Amino acid sequence: MIIKKVTGSKKEYIDLLLLADEQESMIDKYLEKGEMFVLDDNGIKAECVITKEDDGVYELKNIAVLPDHQRNGYGKDLIEYIITHYTDLSVLYAGTGDCPSSLSFYHSCGFTESHRVKNFFTDNYDHPIYEDGIQLVDMVYLKRERINIK
């Protein structure tokens, strides 16, 4: 397994990106300013996009694992890679829908709830967004802080 930075066309991975954010115009708002990484384990299995928001502050804008390869640790592997790759990282934020499976994933990766953006999904998407049969309304932001920064 290797994780590599995408230096060419990030849109080459649009099908994977759309698994985590189903509206391409929303992806376009962060894709070019962010850095993208893909996880290759006998083929691309997962991707993530990270933006630098401030000194030491990063945001995980998109993370997706191919459906047939979920629950194999690839998402966690990407998050751990990001934590170690950005040596100046003090906090990593991730925004997600208020859905038990997503929140459980982030909690298992060491994130805690930070804040919420009311009506994010209903105000910013051109159609209702559902995850696990639940309509997403608010964006839940979680954070993971690095301990023992050198």
Side-chain angles (χ1 to χ4, degrees):
M1 177 187 79
I2 61 167
I3 296 172
K4 55 189 175 186
K5 183 176 176 181
V6 175
T7 56
S9 173
K10 297 173 190 170
K11 283 282 188 128
E12 177 182 331
Y13 300 96
I14 192 65
D15 290 343
L16 202 47
L17 289 159
L18 286 167
L19 291 174
D21 191 342
E22 64 183 62
Q23 188 168 308
E24 192 168 348
S25 63
M26 293 297 284
I27 293 169
D28 290 341
K29 292 181 179 184
Y30 56 79
L31 187 59
E32 287 311 311
K33 84 172 195 168
E35 291 190 301
M36 181 182 219
F37 298 88
V38 292
L39 183 148
D40 188 328
D41 188 12
N42 295 314
I44 301 299
K45 302 291 192 279
E47 64 74 30
C48 68
V49 178
I50 307 298
T51 57
K52 184 170 186 174
E53 300 297 319
D54 203 348
D55 288 342
V57 179
Y58 291 82
E59 185 174 339
L60 180 60
K61 291 288 195 177
N62 188 304
I63 185 167
V65 177
L66 289 173
D68 290 347
H69 300 283
Q70 292 175 359
R71 301 198 168 287
N72 290 323
Y74 292 135
K76 284 183 181 182
D77 288 343
L78 278 171
I79 288 171
E80 292 307 316
Y81 177 83
I82 294 307
I83 297 287
T84 58
H85 177 77
Y86 293 102
T87 56
D88 67 325
L89 184 147
S90 60
V91 64
L92 176 63
Y93 286 98
T96 190
D98 193 0
C99 172
S101 63
S102 294
L103 295 174
S104 176
F105 166 73
Y106 285 108
H107 289 141
S108 74
C109 292
F111 285 80
T112 58
E113 191 169 323
S114 171
H115 61 282
R116 291 175 179 247
V117 178
K118 292 285 184 194
N119 302 317
F120 179 86
F121 291 98
T122 52
D123 290 347
N124 290 286
Y125 285 80
D126 63 12
H127 63 285
I129 305 291
Y130 291 89
E131 188 169 339
D132 295 345
I134 300 168
Q135 182 177 357
L136 303 183
V137 177
D138 299 340
M139 172 80 79
V140 180
Y141 272 94
L142 299 111
K143 68 179 178 179
R144 178 167 162 185
E145 297 179 269
R146 185 195 308 255
I147 300 169
N148 299 332
I149 298 174
K150 293 180 180 180

